[in-house]
Amino acid sequence: MKTIILSLIIVLMGIFGCKHIFGQDGSYNKLWNEVKKAQAKDQPKSVISICDKILDKAQKENNRGQMLKAYFCRAEYNTRITPDSTYSNMANLEKMAAEEKDPIAK
């Protein structure tokens, strides 16, 4: 089961890859541009920090697309820094799904 979830995360990371910017308002666009700059400078901790800001903003606005994109981008860079973090990333994703009240968003 864990390998299936891990495989799913890897696939979703590929689909929502951090370098793709699509359908955002200006404030998200600005934050994603900051992510892009941090990626270009190879600053993974900065990428994680900015993704946390995006994730917080998206959670407050209930913007699920931005939440997923920020989460997977954050998870990708977190795994680059700490390879063992994949399992904690999976646990956090499962927790987010369990807390989701909308059955369609699960």
Side-chain angles (χ1 to χ4, degrees):
M1 182 66 178
K2 295 261 184 198
T3 56
I4 293 171
I5 294 172
L6 180 59
S7 299
L8 178 64
I9 288 174
I10 291 170
V11 169
L12 289 173
M13 288 171 83
I15 292 171
F16 290 105
C18 292
K19 295 183 176 145
H20 300 279
I21 296 179
F22 47 84
Q24 301 152 3
D25 67 23
S27 59
Y28 285 111
N29 220 1
K30 181 181 175 195
L31 290 167
W32 283 113
N33 283 332
E34 289 180 35
V35 169
K36 218 181 207 183
K37 288 176 188 174
Q39 288 171 332
K41 293 179 183 177
D42 196 28
Q43 298 173 330
K45 289 182 181 180
S46 295
V47 171
I48 291 170
S49 173
I50 299 165
C51 284
D52 284 339
K53 290 178 189 176
I54 295 170
L55 192 55
D56 289 340
K57 178 178 174 49
Q59 284 174 333
K60 288 176 187 170
E61 296 176 359
N62 202 21
N63 187 333
R64 290 185 184 95
Q66 292 295 333
M67 282 172 51
L68 280 174
K69 183 177 175 185
Y71 180 82
F72 286 116
C73 185
R74 184 190 190 290
E76 177 184 347
Y77 278 84
N78 196 26
T79 303
R80 288 182 185 187
I81 294 172
T82 313
D84 293 340
S85 67
T86 301
Y87 296 106
S88 65
N89 289 334
M90 283 188 341
N92 289 338
L93 186 60
E94 289 171 350
K95 180 183 171 192
M96 282 175 58
E99 291 174 352
E100 182 59 52
K101 291 174 179 40
D102 183 4
I104 295 172
K106 283 187 175 188

